[in-house]
Amino acid sequence: MSFKDMVAADNCSVFLNDVEMADRRTIEYDGDVFADIPVVLSGLKEKDRRQLMSDHVQGLYLVHAVLHCALSDLGGKQPEKGARLSISDSDESCDCGAGFRREYYVASSVCEMGMLRVELEAIDE
């Protein structure tokens, strides 16, 4: 077994283990829905967004997050910068139908050894 094979096995059995680290979520990207895939969504934080002189909107924040998932779980598609991506809430057990979904824009996307690291941004109130 090569080093790359061992890393790929560890990615699925350790890092994307939905019992310990990952959550099962539904991701919508490029018109396709990838249901119930293991992902690690980290770094959810808000900060004041930079306002221009002509920008008079108050109370909006820029939300940053980092998504880790297997490239194969997104059908081999690596999200492109500027594209929209929708991620379901980790707790879809509510009685509200499809559950809560948050829309993000892809700030950057990197794929190494079959794992995606996607930096996401969203505007929130």
Side-chain angles (χ1 to χ4, degrees):
M1 180 180 271
S2 72
F3 176 71
K4 287 185 178 183
D5 293 335
M6 288 188 285
V7 169
D10 281 350
N11 283 340
C12 293
S13 64
V14 177
F15 189 63
L16 294 177
N17 179 350
D18 62 350
V19 175
E20 296 180 25
M21 295 186 77
D23 293 319
R24 293 220 166 249
R25 299 187 185 223
T26 299
I27 296 179
E28 186 174 339
Y29 170 69
D30 198 27
D32 294 322
V33 176
F34 305 97
D36 200 35
I37 62 172
V39 302
V40 175
L41 189 62
S42 61
L44 279 171
K45 58 186 173 187
E46 292 183 350
K47 69 176 187 178
D48 287 330
R49 65 186 182 90
R50 190 178 76 228
Q51 286 187 277
L52 303 172
M53 290 283 279
S54 61
D55 184 2
H56 301 291
V57 178
Q58 299 290 320
L60 293 182
Y61 298 92
L62 186 61
V63 178
H64 291 275
V66 179
L67 170 74
H68 296 273
C69 69
L71 178 65
S72 60
D73 286 341
L74 287 185
K77 295 181 179 182
Q78 181 174 346
E80 297 178 5
K81 182 177 180 175
R84 288 179 35 167
L85 189 130
S86 172
I87 302 176
S88 69
D89 190 18
S90 62
D91 182 19
E92 292 189 85
S93 60
C94 68
D95 296 330
C96 55
F100 181 74
R101 299 179 81 77
R102 182 171 227 162
E103 296 282 330
Y104 293 96
Y105 287 95
V106 176
S108 70
S109 176
V110 177
C111 183
E112 294 177 348
M113 293 189 180
M115 283 293 294
L116 286 170
R117 179 182 191 278
V118 184
E119 294 183 18
L120 303 167
E121 292 180 343
I123 301 292
D124 196 12
E125 296 181 31

